Amino acid sequence: MNEQTALLRSEQLVGGYLPEVDILQGCSVHVGKGELVGIIGPNGAGKSTLIKAMFGLVPIRGGRVLLEDDDITALPAHAMVSRGLGYVPQNNNVFPSLTIRENLEMGMFLRPKDFQRRHAAVTELFPLLDQRSAQKCGSLSGGERQVVAMGRALMTDPRVLFLDEPSAGLSPLMQDTVFESVRTINESGVSILMVEQNARRCLEICHRGYVLDQGRDAYTGTGAALLHDPKVIELYLGTLARVG
């Protein structure tokens, strides 16, 4: 994938939550049409900060974010959604007091007239969301909640979906469910940029990956190449990989 023809890319991003503290120190990543791209790295490397910055949730003080040739660096998160980007946060990503259907409806609050069409498309990918549509999300397992959260993000028909550590805190069995869901979404044509703490599993399903360290992209390559790179294994996979 040529970076200059990428669907979405960040160029030398500098930024962070506090004005004087730049967690990102010049981070550049790109996602091509139909790609599943993973971001791994040690705690504090800036992984989640990167996708939050690209989605307009963290201030950017240097560099830019491009959707094809359109500079979207300064846009707020709600404007990112209208441009075709979706985001699933790591925590508190469903409304537990609402049903599955109501959560999906929340994903379409700006375009309620399109709900039936998008609901049909999303539940075709994930029949569970239709079969148990009246169930309160608070009674779901962690893995099922993740599927609901991803389904709600898909309701807007995004071109690119950001996922922030979708397997965090889940049992190995539930991680399997979530990773299969991620693969299903990608195979439906949605490009994905995924931050993931389970480095080995992430690289196994990703087309390409980035290893972040101290706010910079230290290594990049295909998922398979990074998975077998001696430096990546020695520095990252030994401590990051969790055997599921």
Side-chain angles (χ1 to χ4, degrees):
M1 164 52 61
N2 185 331
E3 181 177 351
Q4 298 306 312
T5 61
L7 175 58
L8 178 74
R9 66 185 189 270
S10 68
E11 296 179 344
Q12 297 294 314
L13 285 194
V14 176
Y17 302 92
L18 301 175
E20 296 83 13
V21 182
D22 289 326
I23 297 173
L24 302 176
Q25 301 280 343
C27 220
S28 299
V29 304
H30 67 275
V31 184
K33 292 180 180 178
E35 270 198 311
L36 170 50
V37 177
I39 301 174
I40 65 170
N43 289 337
K47 303 184 298 296
S48 293
T49 305
L50 172 61
I51 62 170
K52 288 177 181 177
M54 292 178 70
F55 193 66
L57 296 171
V58 171
I60 293 173
R61 288 181 280 276
R64 60 181 185 163
V65 180
L66 297 173
L67 182 61
E68 294 185 321
D69 292 324
D70 189 9
D71 190 332
I72 60 172
T73 310
L75 295 182
H78 65 85
M80 296 290 190
V81 174
S82 68
R83 296 297 183 96
L85 305 184
Y87 172 70
V88 180
Q90 177 183 347
N91 299 312
N92 302 316
N93 53 19
V94 298
F95 298 98
S97 63
L98 301 182
T99 66
I100 290 176
R101 182 182 176 89
E102 288 168 341
N103 267 269
L104 297 182
E105 288 174 347
M106 291 297 290
M108 291 297 291
F109 72 96
L110 292 176
R111 291 159 47 197
K113 291 183 179 179
D114 287 341
F115 175 78
Q116 293 299 336
R117 179 179 62 84
R118 290 305 304 153
H119 183 265
V122 170
T123 55
E124 184 176 355
L125 285 181
F126 301 116
L128 170 76
L129 301 182
D130 191 33
Q131 296 162 2
R132 295 164 63 181
S133 62
Q135 186 170 347
K136 293 286 182 69
C137 286
S139 66
L140 301 176
S141 69
E144 290 166 342
R145 288 188 186 204
Q146 282 289 358
V147 174
V148 173
M150 290 189 286
R152 191 179 68 234
L154 289 175
M155 290 295 289
T156 60
D157 199 12
R159 302 169 71 190
V160 183
L161 184 62
F162 294 102
L163 300 177
D164 191 358
E165 302 204 6
S167 80
L170 301 181
S171 68
L173 182 60
M174 285 295 98
Q175 288 188 24
D176 289 342
T177 298
V178 168
F179 284 125
E180 278 304 311
S181 298
V182 171
R183 197 194 300 266
T184 297
I185 292 169
N186 179 241
E187 289 175 348
S188 76
V190 180
S191 301
I192 295 176
L193 184 60
M194 175 175 67
V195 167
E196 180 50 51
Q197 47 84 33
N198 189 330
R200 190 173 300 278
R201 291 296 304 277
C202 177
L203 295 177
E204 285 173 351
I205 70 169
C206 286
H207 299 121
R208 290 190 304 110
Y210 292 89
V211 181
L212 263 58
D213 196 6
Q214 298 181 5
R216 290 186 173 87
D217 38 310
Y219 300 95
T220 185
T222 66
L226 291 175
L227 195 59
H228 298 98
D229 186 309
K231 288 184 294 187
V232 174
I233 292 171
E234 179 185 358
L235 294 174
Y236 303 104
L237 292 183
T239 57
L240 287 173
R242 299 182 181 180
V243 178

